[in-house]
Amino acid sequence: MNMLPFLVALWLLLVGLYGVSATKNSIHLVSSLFVAQSSGYLLLLSLGYLKGGTAPILDQVRVGSRPVDPVVQALTMTDIVVGAAVSALILACALQAFKKSGTLDPRRTPPMRG
Amino acid sequence: MSERFRIMLYLVSALAFAAALRAAFAGLPDFGAYCGAYGPLVLESMQGMRHAQQGVAAVTFDYRGFDTLGEEFMLFAAVAGALLLLRRQESERFREPKDQAGDRAGIEPAPAVLGLGLLMFPFTLLLGIYVVLHGHLTPGGGFQGGVLLATAFYYVYLSGEYGDLLEVAAGDTVARFEAAGAAGFLLVGTVPLFTGHRYLQNVLPLGNMGEPFSAGTLPLLNCAVGIEVTAAFLLVISAFLRQVLLIRKGKHS
């Protein structure tokens, strides 16, 4: 059986998590988080794929091909939006933490006080 | 925690996690042999029920419309949080960027960069508007088109005119657009309640399939989301630019 896309998703997730756990830079942390999150996109999209499938836009379906599942594609879009929003928020946090403590290393950043 | 121990801990847990996930993937249907129930059901029903032909848009703005409302407000909240974090702190002051070159002329953007930026701006703007307005007919939609529309303004920044981009986002106008986009989605959902329908129910005439004015509320929701996403991305990028260009350490003078 063909599991390659799922295994690539697994690999992306582990690589991203490695980056998160080994990082010494908040900006690198955000990038790693995004890599880990992109495994979700890949997993969702490859789950919904049909052999010989085409985009789920019904006026453009060729004869002999079937449209793939639109539900997982819509979920992937949600995932991407969430990823972008979370990245912006963490980057903003990292910027202010850098200004307060002079370091981007999330392990050396002192706890925040109000 | 020492560096070595941290990596070892990651490797051990990653191996266990990978084994568990690999076992879980083995229970999935083969790649390309998808057998879910909802996708085909949506594809079968959306032409008759909604006169919609774009499956992803129909799912996002109709079948899962309420979830998209949450998604839109999550974006709204994240942008509000980022802007709150990136405002001027008490220990900082605004500093007008000064020409440090003195009597020498400042560095003008290269004519090629400026020309390309000016050339790309209207085309990207047009493409963004097209993608938003045809979101229910062709690939795209409010989220994708909104990002494109914001990209058009990034060309202004890339061609060296970052002051212009900051000016665009300086007042309340862009923030009002963002709020209007978010409110538009809420409004399209709320109006059917007054006529005895359910929240976000598609009450508009469905029109002829394949035309710009078709599929009921889908184009409206696409526009609302497009406006919100454009404004949100503009606000965030201008807040980061302000941090780099205008905000400096030291008390307000």
Side-chain angles (χ1 to χ4, degrees):
Chain A
M1 65 187 271
N2 187 1
M3 276 188 60
L4 186 63
F6 302 140
L7 294 182
V8 174
L10 173 65
W11 175 76
L12 273 176
L13 179 63
L14 291 180
V15 167
L17 286 181
Y18 173 77
V20 170
S21 60
T23 187
K24 285 182 176 152
N25 184 315
S26 298
I27 294 167
H28 177 247
L29 175 89
V30 176
S31 318
S32 306
L33 203 62
F34 221 106
V35 170
Q37 197 174 17
S38 58
S39 74
Y41 315 156
L42 187 65
L43 182 64
L44 280 171
L45 290 180
S46 43
L47 263 180
Y49 183 69
L50 275 169
K51 203 160 231 149
T54 183
I57 299 167
L58 295 182
D59 67 331
Q60 290 165 6
V61 177
R62 289 186 309 275
V63 183
S65 63
R66 296 171 297 172
V68 299
D69 186 352
V71 178
V72 284
Q73 299 208 356
L75 286 173
T76 307
M77 199 171 78
T78 309
D79 203 353
I80 293 172
V81 175
V82 173
V86 167
S87 299
L89 207 54
I90 304 178
L91 284 174
C93 283
L95 188 78
Q96 295 297 15
F98 178 73
K99 283 201 278 190
K100 291 261 184 246
S101 63
T103 174
L104 271 174
D105 189 343
R107 278 177 254 168
R108 292 201 296 149
T109 310
M112 287 285 166
R113 271 169 296 166
Chain B
M1 205 189 306
S2 80
E3 193 63 36
R4 185 180 290 265
F5 179 68
R6 175 184 278 265
I7 300 297
M8 285 307 292
L9 188 66
Y10 167 78
L11 284 179
V12 171
S13 18
L15 274 179
F17 181 57
L21 212 56
R22 171 74 178 73
F25 284 163
L28 288 174
D30 273 11
F31 176 63
Y34 174 73
C35 53
Y38 296 114
L41 210 62
V42 168
L43 288 170
E44 266 170 38
S45 63
M46 71 181 185
Q47 284 183 305
M49 287 168 72
R50 292 287 174 260
H51 295 198
Q53 57 180 20
Q54 215 263 61
V56 182
V59 171
T60 310
F61 294 109
D62 199 304
Y63 293 86
R64 287 182 68 243
F66 193 64
D67 296 353
T68 306
L69 180 77
E71 180 187 350
E72 208 198 9
F73 275 86
M74 189 227 60
L75 182 68
F76 191 83
V79 169
L83 292 182
L84 197 67
L85 279 168
L86 292 179
R87 74 198 189 286
R88 187 181 63 81
Q89 308 288 310
E90 262 180 24
S91 58
E92 294 169 339
R93 63 189 164 83
F94 276 113
R95 189 207 61 165
E96 284 302 313
K98 262 188 306 190
D99 192 358
Q100 302 288 344
D103 52 342
R104 284 175 297 144
I107 302 171
E108 293 287 320
V113 176
L114 189 64
L116 193 67
L118 290 179
L119 186 74
M120 292 303 285
F121 175 69
F123 283 116
T124 318
L125 208 61
L126 201 64
L127 181 68
I129 294 171
Y130 169 83
V131 168
V132 171
L133 289 183
H134 290 72
H136 57 300
L137 304 174
T138 54
F143 288 103
Q144 298 89 326
V147 174
L148 270 171
L149 281 170
T151 312
F153 290 95
Y154 295 176
Y155 275 115
V156 178
Y157 164 65
L158 282 179
S159 57
E161 308 286 327
Y162 52 76
D164 298 351
L165 181 61
L166 284 180
E167 253 168 52
V168 167
D172 289 342
T173 320
V174 180
R176 286 204 180 117
F177 266 111
E178 202 207 356
F185 203 114
L186 271 181
L187 213 63
V188 172
T190 316
V191 166
L193 290 179
F194 293 105
T195 53
H197 296 88
R198 285 183 293 280
Y199 191 78
L200 267 175
Q201 189 168 357
N202 210 329
V203 288
L204 290 177
L206 293 175
N208 295 325
M209 191 159 66
E211 286 178 5
F213 293 102
S214 66
T217 52
L218 251 62
L220 275 181
L221 293 176
N222 258 325
C223 288
V225 167
I227 291 169
E228 211 238 301
V229 172
T230 310
F233 274 74
L234 273 179
L235 284 175
V236 167
I237 196 76
S238 62
F240 276 109
L241 273 179
R242 263 203 304 278
Q243 289 287 330
V244 176
L245 297 170
L246 297 184
I247 293 182
R248 286 291 174 272
K249 263 189 188 155
K251 289 282 179 205
H252 199 70
S253 51

